[in-house]
Amino acid sequence: MSGQTTNTILRISQVKEITRLGRSTIYLYMSQGTFPKQRKLGQRAIGWHSGDVFRWVAERSVAN
């Protein structure tokens, strides 16, 4: 299993910590189509696939 990443579900607090973005900025970027879409986990729960978030961060660091 070496070399593979586990695709876990991240909650908003974890996404904010990883991206260093605020909640409103994350939702703004999602509405603009420039940030990974959230996934519905239940009636009142959402999350993001970690792979999507880490790819987004990596793409931004390469662009800068």
Side-chain angles (χ1 to χ4, degrees):
M1 197 185 264
S2 66
Q4 293 181 346
T5 58
T6 304
N7 200 12
T8 59
I9 300 296
L10 302 173
R11 301 303 298 266
I12 187 68
S13 60
Q14 296 167 304
V15 174
K16 286 170 45 179
E17 185 176 328
I18 292 165
T19 62
R20 308 309 289 168
L21 297 174
R23 179 184 180 98
S24 58
T25 304
I26 290 168
Y27 283 101
L28 173 66
Y29 287 174
M30 280 184 4
S31 72
Q32 295 172 342
T34 59
F35 193 81
K37 295 287 185 194
Q38 62 197 17
R39 310 286 198 243
K40 188 167 180 137
L41 304 176
Q43 282 186 332
R44 295 177 45 134
I46 57 151
W48 287 260
H49 285 277
S50 61
D52 294 343
V53 174
F54 285 118
R55 254 187 309 282
W56 183 86
V57 170
E59 288 169 3
R60 284 186 53 107
S61 64
V62 169
N64 289 331

